[in-house]
Amino acid sequence: MNGPTKDSYLKRAFIFAEDKDWVKAAEYCEKVLDIDPECAEAYFCKMLIDFKFPNVDALEQSCTPISVNPNFRKAIQFADEEQAKLWRDYSVKNIFNLTINFLKEKNYGGALPFI
């Protein structure tokens, strides 16, 4: 095959997401899904786009509960066991970050003595 491939489209989608070109990133995710409708990475990239996360680092630092996002759920559904575990760990980190921020704001005026 001499044309673009699923992998090249996927790579471009993640590059567009890093550049915060959400429209192009989404377009390339759809190109991937036209080739492979069960591509877990494309759904994961779509989830990043949904929340305007340019990369996994931004996702890991966020307090956004990603587990309710339909694209995240599809990513987990179609991922292999190792990838699904990694992505579930991101979800746990998000919930942890959200909880810590809530406790800081509500109970301790911005500072938790145990953190």
Side-chain angles (χ1 to χ4, degrees), residues 85-99:
K85 182 189 177 326
L86 175 66
W87 291 342
R88 281 188 191 103
D89 288 348
Y90 292 149
S91 180
V92 170
K93 286 178 188 176
N94 293 135
I95 292 167
F96 177 78
N97 289 341
L98 184 63
T99 303

Side-chain angles (χ1 to χ4, degrees), residues 39-99:
C39 179
E41 293 87 359
Y43 287 110
F44 187 80
C45 187
K46 285 178 61 114
M47 181 271 306
L48 292 176
I49 295 163
D50 289 344
F51 291 114
K52 306 289 190 256
F53 297 139
N55 52 42
V56 174
D57 291 338
L59 166 68
E60 286 186 337
Q61 300 303 314
S62 93
C63 298
T64 305
I66 63 172
S67 62
V68 298
N69 180 272
N71 287 314
F72 180 77
R73 290 178 182 210
K74 284 184 182 127
I76 295 295
Q77 176 184 350
F78 297 126
D80 62 35
E81 191 174 314
E82 183 179 331
Q83 193 70 58
K85 182 189 177 326
L86 175 66
W87 291 342
R88 281 188 191 103
D89 288 348
Y90 292 149
S91 180
V92 170
K93 286 178 188 176
N94 293 135
I95 292 167
F96 177 78
N97 289 341
L98 184 63
T99 303

Side-chain angles (χ1 to χ4, degrees), residues 9 12-18 20-31 42 45-46 49:
Y9 284 140
R12 295 278 316 273
F14 278 101
I15 290 170
F16 284 127
E18 283 190 0
K20 299 182 182 177
D21 187 341
W22 311 119
V23 173
K24 282 284 197 187
E27 176 186 328
Y28 275 77
C29 285
E30 291 304 320
K31 289 181 182 191
C45 187
K46 285 178 61 114
I49 295 163

